[in-house]
Amino acid sequence: MCGIVGYIGERNATPIILNGLKRLEYRGYDSAGLAVLQDGHIEVRRDAGKLSNLTALVENSPIAGKLGIGHTRWATHGEPSARNAHPHLGSTKQVVVVHNGIVENFLELREELAAEGVVFNSDTDTEVIVLLVERFLGTGTSLEEATRQALRQLKGAHGVVVFSALEPDKLIAARIGNAGGVVIGLGKDEMFIASDIPAILDHTRTMVFLESHQMAVVTRTSYSVKNLDGSPVAPQEHNIGWDPVAAEKGEYRHFMQKEIHEQVRSLTDTLAGRVDFDEGTVRLPQLNLTTEQAKKISRIIITACGTAGHAGMVGKMLIEAIARIPVEVDIASEFRYRNPIVDENTVILAISQSGETADTLAAMDEGRKRGAKLWAIVNAIGSQAMRVADGYISMQVGPEIGVASTKAFTAPLVDLYLLAVLLGDLRGTLKEKERKQLVADLRLVPDLVGRCLDREPEIVQVAREMKYIRNVLYLGRGTNMPIAYEGALKLKEISYIHAEAYPAGEMKHGPIALVDRDMPVLAIAPDDPWYEKMISQIEQAKARGGSVIVVATEGDTRVEALADHVFWVPKTPWLLLPVITVIPLQLFAYHIASLRGLDVDQPRNLAKSVTVE
Ligand code: AGP
């Protein structure tokens, strides 16, 4: 969703902001803009479409100054256009704002301001914010106080940055609710503000994250944070370990391809320091889990959205199989609206790459209100999900830029496996010998992933043949049923091909009616406990003229004889198979989209972190 960058310091803000916005392109946007304080007045440049349009505009009509803010907008109120792009200036042209989120009471506020004779220059909800700040500034209050008062009028969730030509020595930033993060980057004689870490990672690793209902006043050399009621806050400074190079494409054509290939490394990092292969034990220190607490858990509810939800579906099977704790998986956008049954022995386990997905955060809030323990598996360091959880497992994958999640899918699969082993161990449901075997099996994972990646040319071949397909039916069973969902999601989100996924056993209850020559079936049938059932499903699809691609274990001659195409995967212990079987499906979706010439990293209508409901 929308991205924010702000700068105050000794350097020219314009290139710093443009570079920061470039780093946020992956979030998805449809217009962009920046405002810089130049010679005492605010200059704004904005345009619809890609950032390159804005860059061209700035080249034709340069602006320079030591204070500025920029924004990439994902339209909610008003079409994507230069007029609706942020930053928005007030009517005095002395205050300017960028904003993430939705002003839920904007019609009301707009009518109120219009009745006072205020003229609007856009169709956005955001414009009311700057007009409100101006209204309070007009009464002689400081920018800090005027912004505080304006923010108090807003309903909804917001990330906001404001500056004024009247007080040119500061930026004001605030966060209300879960409309994405607001992070302050601390430099030497310069400060940065951003919605996301990668935007400012080139300049600093020391960062402060605003919590909901906090506001910061940031000058060139200092910052202070207060609650919106004016009470002071002692902010915590975090040192971010992410490597800025991890946010570069390097030799790859797209971030998604790079991130698929990074999985050998990310899974090695996922195991490092958490698994003792000699002892056959698992450590997850940030979960803060004691034996007594582990024994008290009566139920786990995994809540997440999209790809993270698919990881959760695998997690349910792993935790139930290994730790014997009942697990439910709840789509986060549904959870809070159905009066869920939760008590203090329930754990709500949120999974989120961004840690800022509004629905997932709301589900966590709901769990908290009902007395549950909160855990999170999360990638973005310092994100809201990480901060509000009682304990967390941090994905060790570095920044994920491609909108289609890949390495942030396989890491939580391994994290959930580790969690299942730890819970089984602490609760005494896992015998020592089994535990040691489960832990020993993990050692294989990075290498097995590498062997799948080595087969990329074979997948490219199939993608070439199939790049014009219009529909695909993905089938899987058991732990590979969620992988069918994930494979279908990857294909639809980046190649815009209609892909549906079903638990293979459901075919006979309806979907098999769809199968004919024009409906290829992609069946996940590795060597696992559901293998025979999958073979029978493949035979049924073949009998109806469907062409079949099968994900199968190397050396499987039955599949080879049946299938039109095979994506081979190495033999893998079945509880770890989802980490392996998903790799060819990620590559398949990637190459189809890439061969169709599509914008793989920023697919249409999608945003990397969905910070609105
Ligand atoms: C994944 O490819 C999607 N872009 C999307 O489903 C994503 O997984 C979902 O929005 C959840 O995001 P999160 O992990 O940041 O919470």
Side-chain angles (χ1 to χ4, degrees), residues 159 206 231 309 349 427 444 455 467 476 517 554 570-571 599:
T206 312
S231 57
L349 168 54
R427 289 163 67 94
L444 309 168
R455 289 187 173 272
K467 72 173 175 179
R517 273 194 323 208
E554 284 164 354
K571 187 157 178 55
D599 191 348

Side-chain angles (χ1 to χ4, degrees), residues 269-297:
D269 291 348
T270 298
L271 298 175
R274 291 172 171 167
V275 176
D276 184 329
F277 288 111
D278 298 330
E279 296 291 319
T281 51
V282 166
R283 285 179 66 240
L284 295 170
Q286 288 146 332
L287 211 52
N288 304 318
L289 179 63
T290 62
T291 306
E292 194 198 339
Q293 284 165 351
K295 287 188 173 156
K296 263 180 61 189
I297 298 169

Side-chain angles (χ1 to χ4, degrees), residues 6-11 66-68 143-144 161-164 167-173 183-193 204 206 208 215-226 237:
Y7 176 78
I8 182 163
E10 286 299 314
R11 293 189 278 163
K66 294 173 179 178
L67 170 66
L143 180 65
E144 178 183 348
V161 186
V162 179
F163 79 83
S164 168
E167 295 183 37
D169 60 340
K170 61 182 70 106
L171 286 164
I172 309 260
V183 51
I184 306 165
L186 314 183
K188 188 170 176 330
D189 292 333
E190 56 183 0
M191 299 280 185
F192 308 84
I193 294 176
T204 178
T206 312
V208 170
M215 199 172 94
V217 178
V218 181
T219 72
R220 184 173 62 80
T221 52
S222 68
Y223 72 97
S224 64
V225 182
K226 289 183 184 159
E237 295 179 5

Side-chain angles (χ1 to χ4, degrees), residues 104-241:
E104 286 170 8
N105 53 337
F106 110 97
L107 280 177
E108 211 177 286
L109 293 169
R110 194 175 161 115
E111 274 169 26
E112 201 180 302
L113 287 159
E116 291 170 16
V118 174
V119 177
F120 289 82
N121 291 308
S122 79
D123 311 311
T124 65
D125 54 338
T126 298
E127 202 180 356
V128 299
I129 303 176
V130 69
L131 295 169
L132 284 171
V133 175
E134 270 189 348
R135 182 212 257 176
F136 293 114
L137 267 180
T139 63
T141 49
S142 65
L143 180 65
E144 178 183 348
E145 190 49 35
T147 307
R148 183 175 293 120
Q149 290 190 26
L151 294 177
R152 284 205 195 122
Q153 310 281 310
L154 308 183
K155 291 203 177 123
H158 314 280
V160 177
V161 186
V162 179
F163 79 83
S164 168
L166 300 172
E167 295 183 37
D169 60 340
K170 61 182 70 106
L171 286 164
I172 309 260
R175 173 178 187 160
I176 301 176
N178 301 323
V182 176
V183 51
I184 306 165
L186 314 183
K188 188 170 176 330
D189 292 333
E190 56 183 0
M191 299 280 185
F192 308 84
I193 294 176
S195 52
D196 295 78
I197 297 168
I200 52 178
L201 206 52
D202 282 339
H203 309 289
T204 178
R205 300 282 186 92
T206 312
M207 301 193 190
V208 170
F209 300 94
L210 291 192
E211 302 290 344
S212 179
H213 290 85
Q214 289 184 349
M215 199 172 94
V217 178
V218 181
T219 72
R220 184 173 62 80
T221 52
S222 68
Y223 72 97
S224 64
V225 182
K226 289 183 184 159
N227 289 312
L228 263 195
D229 62 11
S231 57
V233 169
Q236 208 190 331
E237 295 179 5
H238 296 260
N239 192 33
I240 306 300

